[in-house]
Amino acid sequence: MPRRYLSVNVSEDQQQFIKLLDEYEIDIFSIDTIESQIHKKFQNLNEVIENLIDKSFISRIERGKYCRVNFRDELVIGTYITKESAVAYWTALNRYGLTEQFSNTIFIQTTHLKKDKTIFGIPYKFVKVAKPKRTGVVKQGFGNRSYCITDIEKTIVDCFDLPQYSGGYAELLRAVEQAQLNGEKMITYCKAINNKAVTKRIGYLCELLDKKGMKSFIKYAKSQVNPKYNLFDPQCSEKGVFVPQWRLRMNISENEILDIISKQY
């Protein structure tokens, strides 16, 4: 049965606008593009939208961007409000089931500068990266409810690149152990982020865990080993044995890594 908007408090233009959102199954929209989406011009579009906000048919996300009042998909919203964006880091790890630790913050990677903000009670962290780092992005969802997300391999590489957004190194180590990884993708994404320390850390870990399908990546990672020693966990203190083959200082020992991974949730 079609929805009806027959209240005397809702004008004909307002009713028509809502009906067109229903017809075209639009839950989230921009004032700059909505008329082309619904194939209808309104002489007083701003007024129509403002009145529908007042009457709780529509919610304002931010200036010029709106959604239906009952639409609260935080992943769609987070990627809609900034260009060249994707769900990433801790949020993507959780989405792929690679961590059961849940962050109240939604992590969005973007090539544009965007201030962190809270929308409908949900905090969003926008992480700006250089354009070459925007790779390994796939689309999930359908129609107006679709959003971009980094694929599993890119999520792992990104979390090593910026571990402060990964939910903790222990969670990241467990994620690598659980994930089915494609070695060629890992090579591509490590080249994109251009961080030799990250490549060495992931290569060492994949060799330690004897990850299936990762021989080509491990070979590549070894080719990237440079003279400089890096801490295995960049967020921990400078201690531990040196591993010359990988030029890593193991401030988390091999036994500690294996112990962390063995303690699944």
Side-chain angles (χ1 to χ4, degrees):
M1 181 179 293
R3 299 179 189 176
R4 295 181 180 180
Y5 302 95
L6 302 178
S7 168
V8 294
N9 294 320
V10 181
S11 71
E12 184 177 342
D13 277 347
Q14 293 162 25
Q15 290 184 44
Q16 187 177 30
F17 186 80
I18 291 294
K19 288 178 180 178
L20 286 168
L21 292 183
D22 285 343
E23 180 181 342
Y24 288 95
E25 299 182 334
I26 293 172
D27 292 304
I28 186 169
F29 61 92
S30 164
I31 196 169
D32 295 330
T33 60
I34 186 60
E35 289 180 322
S36 65
Q37 290 177 272
I38 60 178
H39 306 292
K40 167 71 177 177
K41 290 283 186 181
F42 287 82
Q43 291 184 343
N44 55 342
L45 179 61
N46 280 298
E47 182 181 340
V48 168
I49 291 175
E50 289 301 321
N51 277 280
L52 288 171
I53 291 171
D54 289 340
K55 294 167 185 175
S56 298
F57 284 95
I58 288 173
S59 296
R60 179 184 286 104
I61 300 172
E62 63 178 21
R63 185 178 180 180
K65 296 183 177 68
Y66 309 88
C67 65
R68 304 292 290 268
V69 74
N70 60 347
F71 182 77
R72 292 295 183 266
D73 189 318
E74 63 268 16
L75 304 186
V76 175
I77 290 170
T79 54
Y80 189 82
I81 63 174
T82 184
K83 297 177 181 178
E84 295 186 321
S85 61
V87 175
Y89 306 105
W90 192 350
T91 306
L93 282 180
N94 185 268
R95 187 71 180 175
Y96 289 124
L98 295 175
T99 175
E100 292 185 358
Q101 299 296 319
F102 181 79
S103 172
N104 291 326
T105 299
I106 303 298
F107 291 89
I108 303 293
Q109 185 182 87
T110 174
T111 60
H112 294 258
L113 186 63
K114 182 78 173 177
K115 290 184 178 180
D116 300 342
K117 63 193 311 178
T118 298
I119 303 170
F120 306 135
I122 303 294
Y124 289 82
K125 176 71 179 178
F126 297 96
V127 182
K128 184 179 184 296
V129 297
K131 285 184 179 291
K133 290 189 177 185
R134 180 173 162 77
T135 183
V137 173
V138 295
K139 186 166 282 190
Q140 292 191 355
F142 300 94
N144 197 228
R145 296 193 174 202
S146 65
Y147 61 91
C148 289
I149 184 171
T150 53
D151 68 17
I152 291 176
E153 287 84 0
K154 184 58 161 43
T155 299
I156 294 291
V157 172
D158 282 340
C159 285
F160 272 95
D161 189 35
L162 296 172
Q164 63 270 37
Y165 305 136
S166 72
Y169 226 60
E171 292 300 307
L172 186 50
L173 298 181
R174 294 189 187 105
V176 173
E177 195 277 333
Q178 293 178 70
Q180 292 185 351
L181 300 175
N182 179 295
E184 294 306 313
K185 283 186 176 182
M186 294 292 287
I187 293 171
T188 298
Y189 301 152
C190 280
K191 287 180 179 179
I193 66 163
N194 192 29
N195 186 330
K196 290 184 182 296
V198 164
T199 304
K200 292 193 294 184
R201 290 172 185 131
I202 302 175
Y204 167 85
L205 188 58
C206 288
E207 186 173 62
L208 175 65
L209 300 177
D210 194 22
K211 288 288 293 182
K212 291 182 179 179
M214 295 297 285
K215 287 184 178 179
S216 62
F217 172 74
I218 293 170
K219 182 178 179 180
Y220 167 75
K222 287 181 176 178
S223 75
Q224 298 301 297
V225 173
N226 55 3
K228 180 182 177 181
Y229 273 89
N230 299 102
L231 294 172
F232 179 70
D233 183 347
Q235 296 179 300
C236 283
S237 58
E238 295 191 21
K239 62 178 184 179
V241 301
F242 294 86
V243 179
Q245 182 184 12
W246 288 101
R247 288 296 193 272
L248 290 172
R249 188 173 187 184
M250 303 306 298
N251 51 359
I252 304 177
S253 71
E254 179 179 312
N255 287 337
E256 287 173 327
I257 293 171
L258 295 175
D259 185 55
I260 288 169
I261 288 172
S262 68
K263 291 179 179 177
Q264 299 296 328
Y265 314 102

